[in-house]
Amino acid sequence: MFNKILIANRGEIACRVIKTARKMGIKTVAIYSDADRNALHVKMADEAVHIGPPPANQSYIVIDKVMQAIKDTGAEAVHPGYGFLSENSKFAEALEAAGVAFVGPPKGAIEAMGDKITSKKIAQDAEVSTVPGYMGLIEDADEAVKISNEIGYPVMIKASAGGGGKGMRIAWNDEEAREGFQSSKNEAANSFGDDRIFIEKFVTQPRHIEIQVLCDAHGNGIYLNERECSIQRRNQKVVEEAPSPFLDEATRKAMGEQSVALAKAVGYTSAGTVEFIVDGDKNFYFLEMNTRLQVEHPVTELITGVDLVEQMIRVANGEPLSITQDDVGINGWSIENRVYAEDPYRNFLPSIGRLTRYRPPAEIAAGPMQANGKWADEAIEGTNFAVRNDTGVYEGGEISMYYDPMIAKLCTWAPTRNEAIEAMRNALDGFELEGIGHNLPFVSAVMDHPIFMKGEMTTAFIEEQYPDGFEGVELSTDALRRIAASAAAMYRVAEIRRTRISGRMDNHERKVGKNWVVTLQGEEFAVKIKADKKGSTIKFEDGTKMRVSSDWTPGDSLATLDVDGSPLVLKVDKITSGFRMRSRGADLKVHVRTPRQAELARLMPEKLPPDTSKMLLCPMPGLVVKVDVEVGQEVQEGQALCTIEAMKMENILRAEKKGIVSKINAGAGDSLAVDEVIMEFE
């Protein structure tokens, strides 16, 4: 076995690989840019080598720099993670020439399957069902429009060397095809150093389901079931689960066997993923093969008990697979939510800054594979669910503008899908994350969405269910009553604490009233509190009662309560006369007042936000790529105004209504902060 492995990556996947290498007794080497000098993967590794400035094209994807780090540290093998150099055949070739093992497939397999155009041709030759499209190279936007019309709208414009949603656009008409071609080409060049583009038919109402394969160099190949990855935004996955709630055993078997056959056809070794688009009749069409470890691999590990990173390392060491297809089962259900530094209230635009608070839920080991990556033959006694959090950040760390905005991959496992979802809801409620915009409210909302709960989602889920963007969650009256009762009980505890600190009187209980009015989400509840040593009984005006108990103390940012025998987890911050409380995707201002205070509060005028309707504000920190209009120009609703690049993604900002440009405050090359005024209108 290898003595030392270099991880040619960063962030959570580098930390993930380090955990398995450590379990196997293998030393690890991290590489890092200037921006990652204090990153978690650098702290975790046995050694760390600096390789250059923050931009990836000056550090992480510069093959010569990575090769020098390998030489300097004496690493015998390299795990590439995903992204960066993971599907770069020249990197695999350089490693082979240096006598260093690549923890991934052979160079030929990367070239054959890593390129989307080539892989589709191979799949067609192998009689694999593929989506109609144009596989040749496309020279310019005019040709892209012509091809799109021949295929028939809608079409998907994709970077040949792309991945992770980069260099990908959906076009529904000629204008979008023209814009999408150029943006995809630019993103592909910036992210992958390869600007080749192809176009294929966009299948409406599709589900995105992928098969995990594992092959060795001795001719053995197996599939480890499927992952459902249909909930996506900007063609990038957000929620994944294993198995899929849609597939039956016959379809699973057909997709799995076809995936293994395709892998063997190109001499594939290591872990890889064959992605399919599946229609409502369970017809499946080959999309592409990712010749690397997938971001969502933990859900497969959690239902099979197979450590995919360990298997990759063993295959790279020349070992045959120790498991056969008959050994692979489906034990329980697993859900993964990707936690991104993206603001769902701003159409998921990237957010950067310091993590002033980062306290993920505690990892809980159970099921076929423990959350910390160690083996577990059975669930721990008394625990029927698992929580796993793959992350690469820590409290006080920085989220940089240079890399992918992923903060963590929060996973849960349980015997059934409903139990796994419930475990995820509780884990999300207990995930404390402050200092940046993030998508925790959104994924919390998804977990409660009827379509997701029924397992009936498609890749159009987000755009169909949130056509005007995510605007938060409106909780039911029953849910609000539970929170109102909890807030009243907590406020009473805080008031008692204040009387004790002030020393105003010996009998502090007498000074803290029993009657309160709780206001939240536009609703008002008058309650009466009867407290004892074990908790509080909250009585509402209609005579109903709720029993609330908790060990919460004022100042705690997380409250775990029991409300009428059911758990409730609240993220809590103090505000005037109450709390800011977050639960199940809702962000609530909860005011707890005396009856007289509530009466006066009803008379207070509402403070209105400033009018920015005649301004184009920068929705996230980023770089102006180009400005498409000029002063005095009349613009129409939906017209492109400018393009902002952030975290390797181009974002076209469009006019919300008809108007005339009166002032332009920024130009190409300018770096802007969030809400900075780009242009103004008459």
Side-chain angles (χ1 to χ4, degrees), residues 31-37 49-60 62 65 403:
I31 57 175
Y32 64 93
S33 69
D34 291 339
D36 281 337
R37 189 173 300 275
V49 179
H50 175 253
I51 55 165
N57 60 10
Q58 298 177 42
S59 52
Y60 289 106
V62 180
K65 291 185 176 182
Y403 312 115

Side-chain angles (χ1 to χ4, degrees), residues 447-515:
M447 293 300 101
D448 279 329
H449 198 288
I451 289 178
F452 174 75
M453 292 168 64
K454 293 177 184 176
E456 297 176 350
M457 56 281 181
T458 71
T459 56
F461 173 85
I462 291 178
E463 65 181 63
E464 289 178 353
Q465 301 307 314
Y466 303 95
D468 300 320
F470 180 71
E471 298 176 350
V473 172
E474 292 285 316
L475 295 178
S476 67
T477 299
D478 288 343
L480 292 177
R481 287 169 70 93
R482 283 166 53 84
I483 294 175
S486 301
M490 292 165 63
Y491 196 76
R492 173 188 169 276
V493 171
E495 284 293 285
I496 291 174
R497 170 70 66 88
R498 279 191 285 273
T499 61
R500 284 176 176 170
I501 293 172
S502 69
R504 287 179 291 179
M505 59 184 299
D506 293 331
N507 191 354
H508 56 268
E509 295 282 0
R510 238 179 252 167
K511 203 67 177 174
V512 177
K514 296 181 179 180
N515 294 305

